[in-house]
Amino acid sequence: MLDLYGTSVSSRLLLGTARYPSPAILAEAVRASQADIVTVSLRRETAGSRTGGAFFELIRTLDVKVLPNTAGCHTVQEAVLTAKMAREVFATDWIKLEVIGNHDTLQPDVFALVEAARILTGEGFKVFPYTTDDLVVAERLLDAGCEVLMPWCAPIGSAMGPINLPALRSMRSHFPDVPLIVDAGVGRPSHAAIVMELGFDAVLLNTAVAGAGDPAAMAAAFTGAIEAGRTAFHAGMIEPRDMAVPSTPVIGKAVFS
Amino acid sequence: MKLTINGEDHQTDISVLSELLVSLKYEGDWLATAVNGELVHREDRPGFALNDLDRIEILSPMQGG
């Protein structure tokens, strides 16, 4: 089980709810993933529209815990207000804190992120910060009251997979007791397996499932890969060698000439 | 009175937030409101007075990653 701010969850896949071909396919994917947590967002509502309400009702039927995000926020003020509005709507003090610092890379503004995290934890929020793999920033986020860290492994939506394995390894070894969730950049189940083999606690992804030809099947594939990676981490993997080593014992080998 | 609602200009004589929402057909328990950058809780909307040039945000759930 994975403990996040005192809540135990069995699934180590956190699934985003955006970009699916239809609400029905989103629901299928969430069920196939067996995810306990899905991410949601807030946007301006159109007068007379029930769009938000329809989505909210769909999420309620899925029997999952929601993790609202502050996607699209570029300042501390925007992120803090969005978090408060999300708490009002979703009745949860969990918040996936995003403060974007660059339009092209969607890289977090880590300075604003730390400041927003400090404000929000002070107001009772349980903050899940979308951050980089920078260890100093991670320390500051922990100092600010975060009990979970969510480093990217590549830019949002890039599907590149882990592009800096040494940094991720370093993060895991520096924070052995902090739940670490890789958030953003995962494109394939093998990417998720790799970060789980490094000892990360969970993976948060969206586009890799939503954009797949068969989102429900891909969700199941990710779940399998994440479980495999987690099991392998605990099983103790062998290290690579430069030279070949025969797997079949050579002792007692027949000599025919 | 001139208001900005979700980024768009709006003229109205209604001066209470809850009544403004009803007049514009905003309904449901899934809405969150903010005025001039400050959250206005659901239970505070009936007594929340609006002023000229107020900036109102009305948000609702949507898909997110």
Side-chain angles (χ1 to χ4, degrees):
Chain A
M1 298 290 279
L2 172 61
D3 185 276
L4 301 171
Y5 286 104
T7 297
S8 291
V9 294
S10 56
S11 172
R12 291 176 181 272
L13 170 60
L14 289 74
L15 192 61
T17 56
R19 295 175 172 268
Y20 291 82
S22 71
I25 293 174
L26 161 62
E28 284 177 23
V30 172
R31 292 192 185 99
S33 74
Q34 302 175 52
D36 295 308
I37 300 167
V38 299
T39 53
V40 294
S41 194
L42 285 179
R43 281 295 182 276
R44 285 173 168 170
E45 180 68 290
T46 305
S49 169
R50 297 180 63 87
T51 307
F55 172 66
F56 200 20
E57 288 304 318
L58 173 67
I59 294 299
R60 282 170 168 162
T61 66
L62 295 175
D63 192 27
V64 289
K65 189 167 179 59
V66 296
L67 175 58
N69 69 26
T70 62
C73 293
H74 286 74
T75 67
V76 173
Q77 184 183 24
E78 285 178 350
V80 168
L81 178 57
T82 301
K84 291 178 180 177
M85 296 179 85
R87 182 161 64 179
E88 171 96 349
V89 169
F90 296 108
T92 177
D93 50 13
W94 283 17
I95 191 73
K96 174 184 165 182
L97 182 60
E98 296 183 41
V99 187
I100 299 301
N102 185 284
H103 289 281
D104 293 327
T105 64
L106 299 181
Q107 183 168 357
D109 177 342
V110 294
F111 307 99
L113 180 70
V114 170
E115 185 180 345
R118 182 170 289 110
I119 293 169
L120 290 171
T121 58
E123 298 202 14
F125 282 90
K126 296 177 171 64
V127 176
F128 294 66
Y130 159 64
T131 184
T132 66
D133 50 28
D134 188 296
L135 295 180
V136 179
V137 173
E139 289 279 10
R140 297 291 184 277
L141 288 168
L142 296 175
D143 291 344
C146 297
E147 296 179 14
V148 175
L149 297 172
M150 300 209 301
W152 67 357
C153 76
I156 294 173
S158 69
M160 287 192 284
I163 57 176
N164 193 345
L165 285 174
L168 294 178
R169 278 195 200 96
S170 178
M171 199 164 196
R172 179 70 286 175
S173 63
H174 272 74
F175 307 106
D177 301 321
V178 177
L180 298 179
I181 301 170
V182 164
D183 174 16
V186 171
R188 299 175 175 216
S190 54
H191 298 156
I194 287 170
V195 298
M196 293 303 292
E197 288 173 2
L198 296 179
F200 277 74
D201 294 281
V203 176
L204 194 165
L205 57 89
N206 189 152
T207 311
V209 167
D214 184 340
M218 188 59 77
F222 268 104
T223 296
I226 288 167
E227 289 177 358
R230 181 71 181 171
T231 303
F233 170 68
H234 282 300
M237 288 165 285
I238 65 169
E239 293 301 318
R241 300 168 184 244
D242 291 334
M243 301 296 291
V245 178
S247 50
T248 301
V250 294
I251 296 173
K253 176 180 175 297
V255 178
F256 297 113
S257 60
Chain B
M1 182 164 63
K2 180 182 174 186
L3 303 174
T4 303
I5 302 174
N6 283 350
E8 296 187 357
D9 291 343
H10 190 85
Q11 288 286 345
T12 183
D13 294 328
I14 298 173
S15 59
V16 176
L17 181 56
S18 60
E19 294 175 13
L20 179 73
L21 294 178
V22 171
S23 75
L24 296 175
K25 296 185 167 37
Y26 281 106
E27 53 188 30
D29 63 357
W30 54 81
L31 297 174
T33 51
V35 177
N36 299 330
E38 296 290 336
L39 173 70
V40 179
H41 289 290
R42 189 178 294 119
E43 60 271 22
D44 294 335
R45 291 175 199 153
F48 195 93
L50 298 172
N51 297 296
D52 191 35
L53 303 180
D54 275 352
R55 293 172 290 107
I56 301 168
E57 291 289 332
I58 306 167
L59 306 188
S60 75
M62 73 161 281
Q63 299 84 346

